[in-house]
Amino acid sequence: MQGTKRAQRTQRTRRRFTLLLAAALSAVLTMLTVAPAGAAGKPSRSNGSSNRVIFVHGHAPLGKHDCTKEFSAARKHFANKKWKGSLLTFGYYTNNKKCSKNVSGTRDTAIKDVAKKFANHISTNYTKKGIKVDVVAHSMGGLVVRAALHYTHKRAPGFPKKLYIEDVVTLGTPHAGITKSRVALCGSARQCKDMKPGSAFLKALPSKMPSTTKNGNMSTDWTTISSYDDHTVSEDSGVAGSASHEVQYKAGINHGQLITKTSGKHTARIKHSGKWSKFSKRVSPVEQARLAVFYHGTS
């Protein structure tokens, strides 16, 4: 009888030990499989309206913007079209107002330096957390984004190691520089010099829009948009270089309207796979931008 009781106690002890060992092993495995802070995995590409969209303004002759006013029409349009992700703004002049994120700077701050601040903002607040974003940039803002991705991919000093930017749309960006008439009007500020055709800043950027999966970066889909009635950035400069999708509006849309024209049909053409379509009636520039970040393409 006593031997039976001892055997039962031994069995219970063994069962407890087995359960404790299993629990300990489970805890160890959990610790090994949970990613450490700051090591979030790269998100996958997908269509949809869930991404945060970062709107980036252009050069300001007076050295300041009201971000809310600047992108009021575009953000309202995205919201009316049921965009699910946050619609945010990024500014880079000290005297700016009402930007979701604003960094210090003036017209004499080099565009590359602005790009560095933008890249680190995206890295710290989104990429390191495994969050991808879309970017819609007007005028010089497109050069800020282009330089941010280019120098990040190059692992340039002061730039982050990687960025998760899924789609970029530029509207009226001087990819090959501003028009000759605007060079004189812009003045001698550093940003004006950087936007001058043939500047050292522009020459340092490769002709192909930066998109790479190297070093853990997300491949970025680019759409560049220009207008024949943009007297600040020529129709050719606005789509200079090689982007996945390029759009040119024939007439009736000036430099500022590229980021405010949200409705109607407008004569435009689109380049896919290196070949331009015929001019025909197409959606407005802002709607074109929305479709580009939604579908990774143009309509």
Side-chain angles (χ1 to χ4, degrees):
M1 187 73 175
Q2 289 179 346
T4 301
K5 289 180 179 180
R6 278 198 298 271
Q8 289 174 342
R9 283 198 297 270
T10 300
Q11 287 178 349
R12 286 196 295 270
T13 301
R14 286 175 179 172
R15 282 199 295 269
R16 286 196 208 94
F17 179 76
T18 301
L19 289 171
L20 287 170
L21 181 61
L25 286 172
S26 177
V28 170
L29 289 172
T30 299
M31 290 173 65
L32 290 173
T33 55
V34 172
K42 181 169 68 175
S44 60
R45 294 186 57 85
S46 61
N47 291 340
S49 62
S50 296
N51 282 1
R52 292 166 175 81
V53 179
I54 315 293
F55 292 88
V56 185
H57 65 68
H59 173 261
L62 298 179
K64 60 182 179 180
H65 277 295
D66 181 324
C67 288
T68 297
K69 185 181 296 184
E70 186 78 6
F71 294 111
S72 174
R75 294 169 76 193
K76 183 177 180 180
H77 178 75
F78 273 60
N80 287 343
K81 291 288 184 175
K82 309 302 181 186
W83 194 270
K84 298 176 184 177
S86 300
L87 302 171
L88 308 171
T89 57
F90 177 86
Y92 45 84
Y93 291 127
T94 301
N95 293 324
N96 275 348
K97 297 191 301 182
K98 299 178 182 179
C99 301
S100 304
K101 172 64 179 179
N102 195 60
V103 296
S104 61
T106 69
R107 295 171 67 240
D108 281 311
T109 304
I111 297 177
K112 183 178 178 181
D113 290 338
V114 179
K116 188 182 298 183
K117 294 178 181 181
F118 175 76
N120 282 295
H121 166 66
I122 298 300
S123 173
T124 299
N125 293 283
Y126 306 110
T127 302
K128 288 183 178 180
K129 299 175 182 179
I131 300 170
K132 60 184 178 178
V133 301
D134 294 329
V135 179
V136 175
H138 182 234
S139 195
M140 193 185 85
L143 293 178
V144 170
V145 182
R146 183 179 171 191
L149 280 164
H150 169 62
Y151 286 109
T152 293
H153 295 169
K154 283 190 66 176
R155 294 288 181 90
F159 284 81
K161 292 183 178 180
K162 59 186 176 182
L163 290 173
Y164 296 158
I165 298 180
E166 187 170 34
D167 300 291
V168 174
V169 180
T170 67
L171 301 113
T173 290
H175 290 294
I178 55 179
T179 60
K180 290 181 179 180
S181 62
R182 291 292 174 176
V183 169
L185 288 172
C186 194
S188 59
R190 175 60 186 271
Q191 290 174 358
C192 298
K193 293 177 180 177
D194 283 347
M195 290 190 290
K196 184 178 179 180
S199 71
F201 167 75
L202 291 175
K203 285 182 177 179
L205 299 176
S207 60
K208 187 175 181 180
M209 296 302 152
S211 175
T212 180
T213 55
K214 291 181 180 179
N215 302 321
N217 284 279
M218 168 174 270
S219 176
T220 303
D221 187 82
W222 282 77
T223 300
T224 55
I225 300 175
S226 71
S227 172
Y228 279 74
D229 269 357
D230 184 342
H231 301 297
T232 300
V233 178
S234 72
E235 66 276 8
D236 291 330
S237 180
V239 297
S242 177
S244 304
H245 322 281
E246 300 173 15
V247 185
Q248 286 184 322
Y249 286 86
K250 182 108 183 204
I253 296 176
N254 62 34
H255 188 67
Q257 289 173 324
L258 282 167
I259 196 61
T260 61
K261 187 69 72 173
T262 61
S263 62
K265 293 290 184 177
H266 309 271
T267 303
R269 64 177 182 172
I270 292 175
K271 182 189 280 188
H272 284 304
S273 302
K275 185 177 180 180
W276 284 107
S277 69
K278 293 181 179 179
F279 280 102
S280 61
K281 292 295 183 181
R282 299 184 181 274
V283 298
S284 70
V286 175
E287 173 63 0
Q288 190 73 82
R290 187 192 70 85
L291 291 173
V293 297
F294 186 100
Y295 290 116
H296 317 302
T298 50
S299 298

